[in-house]
Every structure is written in C-alpha cells, then in structure tokens.
Amino acid sequence: MAITTTDHSVPHTSTVPANAGQKVELFVREHDSTPSGPPANRKAVLMLHGRSVPVLAGYDLQHTSYGWAKAIAQAGYDVFMMDLQGSGRSPRPRMEDPCNVNPSQQAAVTPPLSGPRTASYPFVLTNSQSDQDELSTVVEYICNKRNVSKVAFIGWSAAAFAMGPYAIKNPGKVESLFLLGPIFPPLGPSNPPILPVPGFPTHVLTRTSIEQALAMKCANQHEPGMVDVVWSALMDNDPIGRDWGKLLPSGQPAGASRFRNFVTWGWNNTTAGQGGVLGGSVPALIVHGEHDQTANTTPPSSNPALDFHVPALYDAITGPHKLLVTVKCAGHSMPWESQHKNLHNLSKHWLKHTKVDGKTQGMFEMDENGNISPAP
C-alpha cells in the first residue's frame, strides 16, 4: 500500500518559560496510507518521543525494517509523529549555547570548555504543562485536518508524562493508549514547582551513550551495526550538535545529540488512577522489555521523583481495560532491537482490536518469536 509522507509545521503559542507567548512551529511528520472513502473510516495515530531521542530517530528510523511509523501506516492508519520543543526538528530555545549544557557534560560541546561555565539561561527548559500544551495543539491539528474526533496514542519512555495525564484530562480525544517502557514514578510529585526551575536547559547524548543504551543483556538482542545506524539518525536531527565535540582522527567532530532538560509532575499512583479513565474510556496497553533498567529503576532510587516502576503503572490504572506485556530479550531501546518487528505487530494488533491474546485485561509475556502467553 502506497504511503504519502508529509512534514507539517504546526503553529503553537509557546508556554515554555524560555520563549513563553512566542509563536512557534512544532515539527510533525505524517505517513498516510489510509484508503480513500468517507472520513469516518480514517483512523489517526500520534506517536510521541521520550526524553532524549527525537521522534524520527525513534519511530522513523531509515534502516531495513525498523521504521515503526511506516509499519503502522502500511496497516492502513494515518500516522503522525511530533517533536516537542527542545527535541528534534521543533524549536530548541536557548539550547544553541554550549554554556547551557549540563555542567557535567560540557566536555562534549565545542570547542571543549575548560570547565563548567555559567549558563546564559540558568533554568530547566520545559515542563509537564508545556509538553501537554504542545501535545494538545497537535491533537487538535490532527482532528481538524483529518476530520477525526479521536487519536490513538503511542508513546515511548518519558512520553508517558504527557500522554498519560492528557488522556486522563481529555478522554474524548484519545482512542487508546500504547505506552512502551513508560517512565512512571509511583510516588512522584502531584503539584508543579515554581517555574522556571533553576538549573540548565540542555543535556547531550554522545555515541558512547548509545553504546550503553544498546549494551546486550541477552544473545542477539540487537543486530551488529545498530549503534552506527542510531547515531547517524541522531546526528541527522541535530545540525548544531553534530558539529560539537572533540575532533576525531578523521578530522570530523565527535558530535553530541542535544535534548531538553525538563521538570515533571502530575504522573503517579494517585493521578494515573483518577476517574478510572485509563483502562476505562481509554484502553491502555503497557509494554516493557524484561531487561529495561531505565523504566524500572535498579536499584531503587531514594528520590521518589526518580524511582520508576512499570508494573506499578499497571497497578495504578483503575479501569478494567488494561494490559501489561513483558517482552523477552528486550530492553528500553526496543525500537532499535531485534524484537522491533514483534513490537510493530503488537502495536498494529492493539490499534485494531485493543486486545492482547484475545483479552482486555491481564499480564502477559512475549517471546522472541512473538508468541504471547499469560505471565506466570
């Protein structure tokens, strides 16, 4: 089935403190293969990135079978991917200044700084409210442009901080919720701090960071060469960061992938269960790898805001239509791992049926062949 790809610039009035009130354009890519016919037959899906990986490197990886968004589009959906401010191809206010990088990471900028320097914007960049505001703008854009009333959500990692609370507040806009490796602090804060929060706007990933993310915990967890594939995709989405870092023997800079520093609240045991929305009017599927130590803090953190636990989210959801799937031989970076095709198939089945193994509730395991069985 032919796919039409369109990049959109979605107008938005920023609520990020660094550029609050300014008109910005949010980057959204669309892969559409929906058949012609009445608009009522169209089904829209919105995919949101996590904390450190921009949306195209996560969902639209241009390498063999790894394009998750295209796999869903081929199944007959109109798929949208968005970058929040501070990530990928959306605006990144105050992130062009190397002095605004996390002081512990400033060796990765260019020219390499002799030591930590004072940030020109000494605050955390984005927050839970600004992320949800941008998500809301894109949902409304999709609904209006494609004449749909609801959008199915797919979120990876820290996307849960925006998609979960948004779905609870706007259940009439969300068809279903698919969360991969969701970051969930069961005892995290419910209320916002005074904004902007002192700190710095920018973190960076290095190539070593990707090597660590793709460290294998089981045989054949990912295919050879994936570090290079992923790093290339990250550099394609950061025209400033790819010129940062020390020079390599080739004469090229090592590069750094910039991502926003953000502060979160409103996503915990209490808020996730509000009104029985999740698992109620919004069916929820939670998926995580058995070796995911990013979304499952090991050992537990003494800071409740940084102590994450995926099964706790399943327990916190109060509606009955909820499922949890633990994927064998997989970690937090499943879209880049050998289990990616099974992940694609699971998401397509969910979007069509909102069931797993014919069930609407329960905990399951998925093996390396994609077979699903009840969790022991």
Side-chain angles (χ1 to χ4, degrees), residues 16-355:
V16 173
N19 61 352
Q22 294 181 19
K23 302 294 184 181
V24 298
E25 293 183 336
L26 303 175
F27 174 81
V28 175
R29 174 165 291 178
E30 177 187 10
H31 290 322
D32 183 13
S33 71
T34 53
S36 59
N41 293 336
R42 182 183 292 270
K43 292 187 177 182
V45 179
L46 176 58
M47 308 181 83
L48 179 64
H49 61 85
R51 182 176 75 114
S52 58
V53 176
V55 75
L56 298 186
Y59 295 123
D60 205 30
L61 195 64
Q62 302 299 305
H63 179 67
T64 63
S65 58
Y66 285 84
W68 189 358
K70 282 191 174 179
I72 295 173
Q74 286 284 10
Y77 295 91
D78 193 359
V79 182
F80 295 82
M81 299 163 277
M82 69 172 289
D83 274 322
L84 295 165
Q85 285 196 85
S87 183
R89 303 187 184 192
S90 283
R92 303 198 207 190
R94 310 307 296 258
M95 292 177 66
E96 71 286 344
D97 184 352
C99 293
N100 285 337
V101 171
N102 181 341
S104 68
Q105 298 175 332
Q106 287 188 359
V109 304
T110 186
L113 303 180
S114 58
R117 297 185 185 178
T118 302
S120 61
Y121 182 77
F123 301 101
V124 174
L125 187 65
T126 65
N127 57 72
S128 288
Q129 188 59 58
S130 65
D131 286 357
Q132 290 176 48
D133 291 341
E134 292 171 19
L135 177 61
S136 178
T137 289
V138 172
V139 169
E140 293 300 324
Y141 178 85
I142 294 169
C143 289
N144 292 332
K145 194 170 190 65
R146 293 294 176 246
N147 194 25
V148 295
S149 60
K150 291 185 175 185
V151 178
F153 280 179
I154 293 178
W156 181 13
S157 191
F161 280 106
M163 284 185 153
Y166 177 89
I168 292 166
K169 297 171 187 175
N170 304 275
K173 295 286 187 180
V174 184
E175 186 79 31
S176 62
L177 182 63
F178 181 110
L179 295 178
L180 172 64
I183 304 299
F184 180 72
L187 301 179
S190 293
N191 300 314
I194 297 174
L195 299 174
V197 173
F200 51 85
T202 313
H203 290 289
V204 294
L205 287 176
T206 63
R207 192 181 186 283
T208 300
S209 307
I210 303 305
E211 292 173 352
Q212 294 169 346
L214 288 173
M216 291 202 285
K217 305 292 185 181
C218 56
N220 303 315
Q221 188 172 343
H222 65 80
E223 67 176 271
M226 284 307 295
V227 171
D228 290 334
V229 170
V230 172
W231 185 243
S232 177
L234 290 171
M235 292 296 90
D236 284 346
N237 283 277
D238 196 339
I240 291 177
R242 64 179 172 231
D243 289 332
W244 283 6
K246 297 178 181 179
L247 293 181
L248 300 172
S250 65
Q252 297 296 315
S257 179
R258 298 171 298 150
F259 64 96
R260 65 208 171 99
N261 189 15
F262 72 107
V263 62
T264 60
W265 66 87
W267 183 234
N268 53 36
N269 279 337
T270 301
T271 54
Q274 286 179 345
V277 173
L278 299 185
S281 55
V282 180
L285 171 57
I286 303 162
V287 182
H288 70 139
E290 65 170 334
H291 300 296
D292 188 340
Q293 295 182 346
T294 298
N296 295 289
T297 309
T298 304
S301 172
S302 59
N303 182 348
L306 299 176
D307 192 32
F308 309 136
H309 191 55
V310 173
L313 175 56
Y314 177 83
D315 293 337
I317 292 173
T318 52
H321 195 153
K322 61 176 184 176
L323 299 116
L324 173 66
V325 176
T326 301
V327 182
K328 294 296 185 181
C329 195
H332 193 65
S333 301
M334 208 181 310
W336 303 332
E337 297 176 359
S338 298
Q339 282 279 37
H340 69 279
K341 285 186 179 180
N342 290 330
L343 175 65
H344 298 174
N345 291 335
L346 180 62
S347 65
K348 289 185 287 186
H349 184 86
W350 168 254
L351 290 170
K352 185 174 181 179
H353 302 287
T354 60
K355 294 180 181 179

